[in-house]
Amino acid sequence: MAKPTPGLRLFSTQSGVELIVVKGADGVLTCAGAPMVTQRPAPPVADAGGAAQVQLTKRYADAQSGLLVLCTRAGSGPLALDGRELTMQASQALPSSD
Amino acid sequence: MTVVLPLTLAAESLPERVGVQDTLEALTYAALDRLSGRLASHVRAAGVDCVAMLAQNSVAFPALFFGAAKAGVPFVPMNYRLTDAQLDRQAALLGRALLVTDPATAGRIAPREGLAIIDTRTLIEAVADLPLTDADPDPQSEACWLFTSGTTGEPKTALLSHANLTAYVFGTVDPLSATEDDAVLASVPPYHIAGLVGILSNVFAGRRVVFLDQFSAEHWVDRAASAKVTQAMVVPTMLGRILDVLAARDETLPHLRSLSYGGGRMPTDVIRAALERLPHVGFTNAYGLTETASTITLLSPADHREARLADTPEVRARLGSVGRPLPGIEIEIRKADDSPAAPTERGEIWVRGPQVSGAYRGKGPTLRDGWFNTRDEGWMDAAGYLFLAGRTDDVIVRGGENISPGEIEDTIIAMPEVADVAVVARPDREWGEVPVAFVVLRPGAALAAEAIRSRVRGALRSTRVPAEFLFVAALPYNETGKLLRAELRARLRSAA
């Protein structure tokens, strides 16, 4: 169980969800109820297909701690920090400047 | 977060997609990842402190940038447009370095102790059988050094950490969001901060990067059409020339969806002409500096459309604005006494945020409470749109290249016939700004403009040669002996 620090890649043990931590925080980050891990599970996890889908390229945040994560592979969630469910951020919709 | 992560992600998720290509070859993301890992092993074994590159754009540029990062040393792209003497002074600052050249730059930097000079092709062949080094460096370590000329013409080495370079990318770019058909044309030279950050954001998005080795408007239009380029970034000077070529060929680049520009003053008539010629393209104006790891404000395509069609003068004026700050970036306009300026009031532009470095090699910290002084003058309108008014320190920005008046003045004043000289910027439709020299001759002396012109060309480089020489009886100074450059600039404007 790793503290979510910026740049850390995290993998769900319950679904195919993969994340990058953009802004770190203290606490335990879970996906579908189980703590996320720093190594991709082998063999790949069969996705149980829960209701809460974590979406590719979306950012999820915890307002209380400031945690911000970026989804790099979609799958079933939900994501939570110390039991508080993360909320999906509205797209920044920035045009590319480079 | 480090610059390695975007490549790792693209190589894992889109291994077979072409990631980078130039006129000679194309590399998939997986191939780019492997090549950079092999280069990193070579860099580690060589035991150097940095990887310098004196070469035009090619697939070797991203390979060396990522390779240096994986080896945990900074990447140092050098400006091949400098004179050999200037390059030699920069090479002396590299320490123990691997210096990679291409056929166009080979031999330009003389061998020196600590410097291992190697040609790109030779290096890539030499690493073919090396194992992969895929370490992730410390996010606070230096990811690149960039030489900037600054106010006095004395070269400064700006330092950017992995955290500085990636803050913008991870904060604003949607990873792996590009489609198979997306392609960006990279024509900004590799020694420009926008070239470096462009690689990161496009690799993170999984977008194919098409490199243009050297810019010409014809070449750019050919490549944009043949590679079905969907987006590109140019400096204002490039855009003016591109529009001329498009008009001459009656070409509309139907695949192009977005075009961003920055790095200098964009004349309003040029951007208006661009909006009319390319109605299907979204235009973005980006403002940033080397020390801020590129973009800090953006004028979006919607802002451009709104300003173009607006009835109110305030909104119409925004076509000349650099837009609003990115999320996570704070901007303040400060007056000479350090107090905050009111909306529309002019002052110096200060910036704060995670991508702001403000660190230079061998110098102490320059940030004040996290704030960096851009030394650009400007103002903000009531809606938070930023307008630039010029460089505080009178640097002339010619076609995206910063020119220090001091080095031109030093060259001219060294001529025995010259009593005094000042070089200032004159607005120019093609270049954004060009240098113009005001020259005071000694009593009784005679000197032709052509003689000064050839002297500057011989001592510096062609971009430093003033566009015009105006012979005057005296230069304006204030009571404390400070040259009034603003007055000279005003004279040029009123004469135009």
Side-chain angles (χ1 to χ4, degrees):
Chain A
M1 197 176 325
K3 181 182 157 183
T5 52
L8 190 68
R9 299 189 68 184
L10 291 170
F11 304 87
S12 176
T13 60
Q14 305 298 306
S15 72
V17 168
E18 298 184 11
L19 308 170
I20 297 173
V21 181
V22 178
K23 287 180 189 157
D26 284 321
V28 176
L29 185 59
T30 55
C31 179
M36 297 190 76
V37 295
T38 55
Q39 297 288 322
R40 181 176 288 133
V45 179
D47 199 312
Q53 281 292 307
V54 183
Q55 294 176 35
L56 181 66
T57 83
K58 296 294 183 193
R59 291 171 170 80
Y60 293 81
D62 171 46
Q64 188 177 320
S65 64
L67 178 78
L68 182 66
V69 299
L70 177 61
C71 174
T72 56
R73 190 157 182 268
S76 298
L79 300 171
L81 185 76
D82 291 342
R84 294 185 302 276
E85 198 166 315
L86 305 193
T87 50
M88 192 171 85
Q89 302 294 98
S91 173
Q92 307 265 22
L94 279 180
S96 174
S97 65
D98 39 41
Chain B
M1 263 160 294
T2 75
V3 304
V4 176
L5 194 49
L7 179 59
T8 307
L9 203 60
E12 277 178 11
S13 305
L14 305 165
E16 297 310 317
R17 183 177 288 184
V18 170
V20 291
Q21 69 180 97
D22 55 31
T23 42
L24 297 175
E25 63 185 312
L27 294 179
T28 63
Y29 281 117
L32 177 64
D33 192 39
R34 285 193 300 272
L35 176 58
S36 61
R38 295 195 173 103
L39 287 166
S41 298
H42 179 88
V43 172
R44 281 239 172 124
V48 293
D49 302 324
C50 68
V51 174
M53 186 186 90
L54 182 70
Q56 295 176 351
N57 269 328
S58 78
V59 297
F61 165 35
L64 288 164
F65 176 37
F66 290 118
K70 287 178 176 181
V73 299
F75 177 65
V76 193
M78 296 173 78
N79 182 347
Y80 45 77
R81 293 183 187 280
L82 296 178
T83 64
D84 289 1
Q86 288 168 318
L87 283 175
D88 203 57
R89 280 201 293 279
Q90 293 186 349
L93 302 172
L94 294 175
R96 288 181 308 162
L98 181 69
L99 171 67
V100 185
T101 57
D102 67 11
T105 64
R108 292 203 53 202
I109 292 180
R112 67 164 62 233
E113 170 122 32
L115 207 56
I117 304 178
I118 188 165
D119 171 73
T120 315
R121 286 288 121 208
T122 314
L123 175 62
I124 289 175
E125 280 161 27
V127 303
D129 297 324
L130 292 186
L132 304 179
T133 292
D134 281 315
D136 212 15
D138 173 1
Q140 297 310 322
S141 67
E142 294 162 6
C144 73
W145 299 346
L146 289 166
F147 294 106
T148 67
S149 56
T151 57
T152 58
E154 189 66 25
K156 279 192 292 189
T157 315
L159 306 176
L160 292 166
S161 69
H162 287 272
N164 295 146
L165 280 178
T166 53
Y168 160 78
V169 176
F170 286 96
T172 67
V173 178
D174 286 344
L176 314 171
S177 56
T179 70
E180 194 77 46
D181 295 330
D182 284 358
V184 57
L185 186 57
S187 56
V188 173
Y191 51 79
H192 195 290
I193 182 64
L196 271 180
V197 175
I199 285 187
L200 290 180
S201 55
N202 287 305
V203 167
F204 194 50
R207 190 177 296 114
R208 178 164 52 103
V209 182
V210 179
F211 288 106
L212 198 66
D213 50 4
Q214 215 168 4
F215 179 82
S216 78
E218 290 78 11
H219 195 180
W220 190 97
V221 171
D222 289 344
R223 203 79 176 110
S226 67
K228 299 192 169 120
V229 157
T230 53
Q231 64 187 80
M233 191 264 165
V234 294
V235 302
T237 308
M238 294 175 175
L239 184 59
R241 292 178 176 180
I242 288 165
L243 289 177
D244 291 343
V245 172
L246 292 177
R249 295 187 186 177
D250 203 21
E251 166 72 62
T252 56
L253 300 174
H255 296 282
L256 191 64
R257 290 199 306 267
S258 63
L259 194 55
S260 64
Y261 60 93
R265 204 180 61 88
M266 172 63 90
T268 317
D269 58 335
V270 173
I271 189 61
R272 278 195 183 280
L275 288 164
E276 270 154 41
R277 172 144 291 276
L278 302 168
H280 58 292
V281 174
F283 284 86
T284 302
N285 186 2
Y287 164 62
L289 296 87
T290 301
E291 291 89 341
T292 64
S294 205
T295 307
I296 52 175
T297 69
L298 277 183
L299 188 75
S300 72
D303 290 329
H304 279 80
R305 283 191 290 273
E306 201 186 345
R308 182 170 167 239
L309 303 171
D311 295 324
T312 55
E314 298 81 55
V315 179
R316 223 170 26 238
R318 285 184 198 147
L319 214 45
S321 149
V322 293
R324 289 184 286 191
L326 294 182
I329 289 284
E330 298 171 85
I331 289 198
E332 269 185 19
I333 311 292
R334 298 185 189 173
K335 295 190 287 190
D337 63 1
D338 235 22
S339 65
T344 75
E345 202 177 6
R346 209 169 140 156
E348 268 185 325
I349 301 167
W350 290 68
V351 57
R352 183 161 73 172
Q355 66 192 73
V356 177
S357 159
Y360 302 95
R361 264 184 97 201
K363 292 189 167 39
T366 59
L367 300 186
R368 273 169 49 189
D369 203 16
W371 289 93
F372 177 72
N373 181 357
T374 64
R375 304 195 66 75
D376 279 329
E377 295 269 322
W379 71 91
M380 259 185 184
D381 72 11
Y385 286 83
L386 182 67
F387 291 77
L388 303 182
R391 299 284 288 181
T392 310
D393 45 13
D394 299 307
V395 164
I396 300 160
V397 185
R398 181 188 185 275
E401 183 178 347
N402 288 357
I403 298 176
S404 222
E407 58 175 324
I408 306 173
E409 290 163 0
D410 289 350
T411 306
I412 298 174
I413 198 77
M415 301 179 81
E417 299 88 347
V418 176
D420 204 355
V421 64
V423 174
V424 298
R426 184 176 68 193
D428 185 85
R429 187 182 179 278
E430 186 180 9
W431 295 103
E433 291 179 342
V434 291
V436 167
F438 287 84
V439 181
V440 182
L441 293 182
R442 292 191 187 283
L447 187 65
E450 190 45 49
I452 312 178
R453 191 173 287 128
S454 63
R455 160 131 197 147
V456 176
R457 188 177 295 122
L460 304 169
R461 26 182 306 230
S462 59
T463 56
R464 264 65 173 172
V465 178
E468 195 176 350
F469 295 85
L470 299 165
F471 292 90
V472 293
L475 296 177
Y477 287 92
N478 71 5
E479 60 283 6
T480 60
K482 191 169 180 285
L483 179 66
L484 297 173
R485 291 178 188 274
E487 193 178 314
L488 293 173
R489 283 195 293 263
R491 274 193 222 171
L492 291 175
R493 278 198 300 274
S494 62

